[in-house]
Amino acid sequence: MPSPFVVSIAVPVPLRKTFDYLPEMSLPDPEHYTPGKRCKVPVGQRTLIGVITGIHHSPQVPQDKLRPIKQILDPHPTIPSNVLQLAQWISDYYHAPLGEVLINALPPLMRQDRSWEKLSNSLSTILWQATPGADSTGLRGAKQKALLELLIGMPEGLSQPDIINQGYTTAQLRALESKQFAHSTQVRSRPGKEAPVTSSKPTLTTEQQQALQQLIGVSPGFTTTLLEGVTGSGKTEVYLDWIEHRINNNASEQILVLIPEIALTPQTLRRFKVRFGEQVVSYHSAMNDSERLLTWIQVKEGEVSVVVATRSGILLPFKSLGGVIVDEEHDSSFKQQDGARYHARDLALIRGQHSQCPVILGSATPSFESLNNADQGRYHYVRLESRVSSTPLPRIHLIDIKSRPLEGGISPPILQEISSAISAEEQVMVFINRRGFAPVIMCVDCGWIAECRSCDARLTYHRRQQSLKCHHCEKQYRLPTSCPSCESKNLKPIGAGTERTEEYLEQQFPDVPVIRIDRDSIQNKGSLDQKLLPIRQGHSCLIVGTQMLAKGHDFPNLSTVAVLNADGGLFSSDFRSTEKTAQLLIQVAGRAGRREKPGKVFIQTQFPEHPLLQYIQQHDYRGIYASEMAMRKQGHFPPAYSMALIRGEASSLEDTLNSLWKLRDLMETCENHLPSIHGPFPSLIQKKQNRFHGLIWLFSADRSVLRKFLRHWLGMMENQKLKLPGKFRWQLDVDPIDTL
Ligand code: ADP
Ligand code: ZN
Ligand code: ZN
């Protein structure tokens, strides 16, 4: 007998549609198929985890061609409707398969074949309590007596592991249970509601107070506010008070705080914990699977009020979302770089709309997208112009190194400045955006340069590991003892990375600690925090590091910042390079002089007259924005135009470009109005890991035109089965950040 209905299921396969299945044999009732339940379904020869999106009565294929669901994993919809709604939006906007979006929205343990019961049991512990009225006087064994008395003394119960830790056995517990003196229950620990007793919470400055009032004063419902506050203006303190205000007014409200990388800024998370205690949880990929599952459930059950998370936190199943803060909103780590390439900042606005709650975007260097939106009146705009300490922003000096020798990457005038700061027992930060000892190893006799065999890239010399590393594919090579081309022994490291600068500074300043912070020196979660300890303690020291140092750190005693290699960003073919370089330089400079004494910043450059550096010297971020926006408008680049790109790769450049041409030819046959199409052309780094990369760029003045066009074209791609070389892969990236 045919089933009266079929079930639509989003399955994690790269096709942009849901699939029909017959109900599970033993569960013929439509009520069993509510949207948001996970289930196991056959897909070809495999079994995958899919998510039910609904039932209907008109399958596209006859029922005898449909297969039944293998098993429903959740007794209730685990994925709430707000996450389904957001996933649907992502799927439409980024043209990504709904099933893939949904599976990635789940914590890793829920992507597996595990029933809801198993998952929730894995997070609970066994709690033992004495039976009311139980009396130990009748018990014979001394141990049993003591155990029962222990339980009687803890009426709220004691967890089994705690009991075992105190020297008792499960046999003794079972014995008490069989005599009905004690009983056990499965419970999950729940965070306490009590706010911690905060010793000191700073009184907001007048400017902070005004900003807070503006944020509080926005109309109810969905609004977006851009909070532009110079480095050290106390944005975080404003967020904290704003959150406190929200949850004091409505205790069930939950606030999401998105930050770029939690591991890099342990300090930020700590400040939230100090203020909100157990009501704060974090969510990020460095957490283990059960920690992530636990947070996911706590958020869904409304047990926590504040979630501090990296980009994937935007997909959490909030029970009652009351606001979203995106801190350092300009940071490119909010953009997902594979699968559904969503931008968490942009999704924050969509969630705000869906939940009718306010969204705050904060930064000292807002993205040009957000500044443009604020300028056009789409966002409220709030500004913090001065530092909390009312110390002026640091003075920025441009050091011309055109005809100056560098040692360890450092020019004599900068060495002099570092030296006087160290004599004054201050802290100095040296920023060099390159890890390793030297970016190039060259044969002095014949000019040979070490290159990666799988990539178009030079190898970086890592002295500590005595190896050459490719920073694109991470492949390691042994350091050659002689030149492979002329056998000369005269191989020389050229240029400097963090290791070399560290070594040089150690020689120059043997009496102060030199702390190196980069991806090689920071291996695990805790080590950054530990390395930063002497810096926070305020002793005089030298910090050498990469852009890891630019992110949100607050080092009270740092007086001097030296930037060794700013020039790379001045002449790049990336249309965002000026924006990115400006953000980086301003953020790095912003680490200096955050307390009483004004800071000093020195930027080494061959091009001191370069307009970007001139603006930076004046702290004129708006000037950079204005001149760049004029260029973006002229060049039809975002945010003036909306953009998408297709990335293709194959095992030869010819295959890549030919295949991309076929995609483009099909685009030409779309009847929709065509946005402007550029390419295909080879990527900036053509060869990576033996694959050859190419691009097609698409632009349109009207976002919805581009979207309709892409939808139409993707539909044709799915129907027309173009003949493309087997090794060719391609992806679509809507609103790309990396465009080369
Ligand atoms: P931002 O995020 O804007 O760079 P932070 O919020 O990190 O700035 O503030 C910088 C430092 O100033 C922090 O150590 C913070 O605790 C401190 N601070 C912020 N506001 C105040 C205030 N009103 N009074 C005293 N200290 C403050
Ligand atoms: Zn040679
Ligand atoms: Zn490589």
Side-chain angles (χ1 to χ4, degrees):
M1 202 181 63
S3 163
F5 66 95
V6 295
V7 187
S8 312
I9 297 187
V11 181
V13 294
L15 286 174
R16 297 169 310 113
K17 58 174 191 171
T18 55
F19 293 82
D20 289 340
Y21 284 87
L22 295 173
E24 196 183 328
M25 305 286 187
S26 56
L27 300 171
D29 238 336
E31 282 102 83
H32 287 115
Y33 301 92
T34 33
K37 286 186 180 186
R38 295 172 308 138
C39 55
K40 271 164 45 179
V41 289
V43 178
Q45 302 297 317
R46 298 179 298 163
T47 299
L48 298 178
I49 309 294
V51 177
I52 296 175
T53 59
I55 57 172
H56 66 103
H57 306 280
S58 46
Q60 299 119 342
V61 292
Q63 280 210 13
D64 56 359
K65 293 254 165 23
L66 293 179
R67 298 205 268 174
I69 293 172
K70 283 193 168 166
Q71 191 195 341
I72 294 189
L73 293 169
D74 301 326
H76 309 288
T78 44
I79 304 170
S81 58
N82 58 18
V83 172
L84 287 176
Q85 187 188 16
L86 182 68
Q88 187 63 57
W89 191 91
I90 294 174
S91 169
D92 290 342
Y93 186 82
Y94 294 100
H95 307 279
L98 181 60
E100 288 188 349
V101 176
L102 277 170
I103 204 89
N104 287 312
L106 297 177
L109 285 174
M110 284 182 64
R111 300 174 198 167
Q112 301 166 8
D113 174 10
R114 289 179 197 221
S115 68
W116 180 247
E117 200 187 355
K118 252 196 215 154
L119 288 172
S120 54
N121 281 346
S122 73
L123 295 178
S124 57
T125 50
I126 302 171
L127 190 77
W128 287 91
Q129 282 167 299
T131 311
D135 181 358
S136 66
T137 43
L139 282 171
R140 257 176 284 137
K143 265 283 185 184
Q144 278 205 28
K145 243 188 171 136
L147 175 55
L148 182 55
E149 272 155 21
L150 175 70
L151 292 179
I152 292 172
M154 299 288 281
E156 67 280 12
L158 207 56
S159 82
Q160 184 156 319
D162 283 351
I163 297 170
I164 307 285
N165 273 344
Q166 299 195 27
Y168 300 96
T169 63
T170 39
Q172 287 159 351
L173 283 165
R174 299 269 166 243
L176 285 183
E177 189 179 34
S178 68
K179 291 175 190 141
Q180 297 189 342
F181 282 162
H183 58 274
S184 65
T185 36
Q186 285 266 354
V187 289
R188 182 163 56 76
S189 68
R190 271 156 227 277
K193 277 272 168 200
E194 295 300 303
V197 200
T198 40
S199 42
S200 62
K201 154 178 146 183
T203 318
L204 296 187
T205 63
T206 316
E207 203 188 25
Q208 282 173 313
Q209 189 59 40
Q210 282 166 354
L212 178 66
Q213 288 313 323
Q214 282 176 275
L215 291 171
I216 290 173
V218 298
S219 47
F222 167 63
T223 48
T224 309
T225 306
L226 176 62
L227 174 62
E228 181 177 11
V230 299
T231 52
S233 59
K235 291 181 289 297
T236 313
E237 222 54 54
V238 175
Y239 304 148
L240 289 168
D241 278 20
W242 182 77
I243 296 172
E244 196 169 296
H245 173 86
R246 299 279 319 184
I247 54 187
N248 283 346
N249 273 347
N250 178 354
S252 67
E253 215 168 70
Q254 296 172 298
I255 308 290
L256 170 63
V257 184
L258 291 177
I259 64 177
E261 275 156 282
I262 286 187
L264 296 186
T265 48
Q267 210 183 5
T268 307
L269 182 58
R270 207 159 31 232
R271 284 169 73 181
F272 281 85
K273 293 247 181 204
V274 166
R275 183 71 74 92
F276 301 107
E278 288 187 41
Q279 280 301 300
V280 181
V281 288
S282 57
Y283 192 76
H284 53 91
S285 56
M287 283 161 67
N288 71 33
D289 287 356
S290 20
E291 289 169 331
R292 287 174 84 177
L293 179 64
L294 179 63
T295 297
W296 198 88
I297 293 174
Q298 289 176 330
V299 171
K300 179 172 146 84
E301 301 292 323
E303 292 168 11
V304 289
S305 311
V306 184
V307 182
V308 179
T310 49
R311 64 169 179 265
S312 58
I314 195 63
L315 289 149
L316 282 169
F318 290 93
K319 185 173 185 195
S320 159
L321 186 63
V324 185
I325 295 170
V326 185
D327 188 28
E328 310 290 354
E329 66 87 36
H330 64 279
D331 197 282
S332 59
S333 74
F334 288 125
K335 172 88 172 168
Q336 172 82 17
Q337 291 297 4
D338 50 35
R341 294 165 170 259
Y342 64 81
H343 200 304
R345 182 217 326 139
D346 299 344
L347 292 188
L349 305 196
I350 302 305
R351 270 213 105 146
Q353 258 166 27
H354 290 171
S355 303
Q356 282 302 303
C357 70
V359 177
I360 300 173
L361 309 178
S363 177
T365 51
S367 64
F368 290 179
E369 274 79 3
S370 296
L371 281 176
N372 186 49
N373 281 325
D375 277 0
Q376 312 257 321
R378 283 192 283 268
Y379 297 168
H380 295 284
Y381 178 73
V382 176
R383 197 171 155 77
L384 291 169
E385 291 188 31
S386 47
R387 288 190 151 182
V388 175
S389 54
S390 48
T391 314
L393 287 170
R395 276 199 56 184
I396 297 180
H397 307 264
L398 302 174
I399 307 293
D400 191 344
I401 52 167
K402 255 195 295 295
S403 51
R404 286 200 162 111
L406 300 185
E407 237 185 298
I410 297 176
S411 60
I414 289 204
L415 187 67
Q416 188 51 50
E417 294 294 344
I418 295 176
S419 181
S420 45
I422 293 296
S423 313
E425 298 194 0
E426 295 169 352
Q427 296 182 342
V428 179
M429 185 165 107
V430 179
F431 172 79
I432 173 163
N433 217 359
R434 207 188 273 142
R435 60 200 172 91
F437 187 84
V440 175
I441 281 276
M442 192 174 94
C443 168
V444 178
D445 292 319
C446 77
W448 171 86
I449 284 174
E451 285 173 347
C452 180
R453 279 195 283 275
S454 320
C455 310
D456 280 337
R458 292 173 169 179
L459 295 175
T460 301
Y461 173 38
H462 287 253
R463 172 118 121 198
R464 255 160 236 234
Q465 293 148 331
Q466 276 301 306
S467 73
L468 298 175
K469 247 193 231 172
C470 172
H471 286 184
H472 294 281
C473 70
E474 296 303 318
K475 198 187 278 189
Q476 293 211 32
Y477 296 80
R478 274 230 303 280
L479 187 67
T481 46
S482 60
C483 172
S485 154
C486 76
E487 290 178 16
S488 153
K489 299 257 183 247
N490 221 348
L491 297 177
K492 218 175 147 189
I494 311 283
T498 47
E499 275 186 15
R500 191 171 208 166
T501 303
E502 175 192 26
E503 189 186 280
Y504 177 66
L505 289 172
E506 274 169 351
Q507 287 159 8
Q508 295 294 316
F509 305 99
D511 301 330
V512 290
V514 179
I515 301 160
R516 175 164 62 96
I517 309 261
D518 58 26
R519 196 135 57 79
D520 301 308
S521 73
I522 305 296
Q523 304 297 357
N524 52 30
K525 279 204 252 186
S527 61
L528 178 65
D529 216 15
Q530 204 151 28
K531 288 218 164 206
L532 296 178
L533 198 64
I535 304 171
R536 277 203 309 273
Q537 286 168 342
H539 307 307
S540 176
C541 62
L542 281 153
I543 312 150
V544 180
T546 57
Q547 79 264 25
M548 272 189 167
L549 287 174
K551 306 212 172 187
H553 298 287
D554 185 40
F555 304 138
N557 293 322
L558 189 77
S559 67
T560 304
V561 166
V563 179
L564 301 189
N565 58 343
D567 290 352
L570 302 180
F571 303 98
S572 156
S573 45
D574 178 1
F575 73 85
R576 280 205 178 83
S577 111
T578 301
E579 178 182 351
K580 289 179 186 165
T581 307
Q583 288 165 346
L584 187 62
L585 289 175
I586 291 171
Q587 293 287 348
V588 175
R591 303 307 116 206
R594 288 165 76 94
R595 291 300 186 278
E596 295 79 33
K597 272 206 249 167
K600 293 184 208 162
V601 177
F602 302 92
I603 300 176
Q604 285 191 161
T605 175
Q606 311 238 19
F607 311 97
E609 321 74 33
H610 193 288
L612 172 58
L613 294 178
Q614 292 293 324
Y615 281 121
I616 297 275
Q617 193 172 31
Q618 305 303 318
H619 298 278
D620 187 4
Y621 187 63
R622 280 304 181 122
I624 300 169
Y625 165 70
S627 80
E628 274 293 297
M629 275 305 287
M631 307 233 279
R632 303 259 184 113
K633 278 193 187 121
Q634 212 173 27
H636 294 189
F637 285 114
Y641 274 62
S642 137
M643 179 177 188
L645 65 75
I646 315 274
R647 287 193 182 82
E649 52 170 289
S651 32
S652 73
L653 187 60
E654 201 187 351
D655 275 358
T656 302
L657 295 180
N658 284 344
S659 308
L660 284 172
W661 268 114
K662 287 192 183 155
L663 305 195
R664 168 148 192 183
D665 287 343
L666 193 65
M667 288 177 186
E668 305 290 349
T669 68
C670 280
E671 66 228 35
N672 296 45
H673 172 70
L674 212 61
S676 63
I677 306 176
H678 300 261
F681 47 80
S683 300
L684 181 67
I685 298 173
Q686 286 175 26
K687 188 172 119 184
K688 267 190 234 163
Q689 287 187 285
N690 287 318
R691 304 274 293 164
F692 291 80
H693 296 254
L695 298 165
I696 299 175
W697 284 357
L698 300 112
F699 299 95
S700 170
D702 182 342
R703 188 174 291 278
S704 64
V705 168
L706 181 57
R707 190 155 144 197
K708 274 195 210 116
F709 170 80
L710 285 169
R711 177 169 314 186
H712 188 93
W713 172 72
L714 288 165
M716 294 206 301
M717 285 292 290
E718 274 166 21
N719 295 330
Q720 295 213 357
K721 303 274 178 264
L722 291 181
K723 272 216 173 56
L724 299 167
K727 299 260 169 69
F728 176 72
R729 298 270 172 281
W730 64 273
Q731 303 144 358
L732 170 65
D733 190 351
V734 175
D735 301 334
I737 294 291
D738 288 327
T739 55
L740 299 175

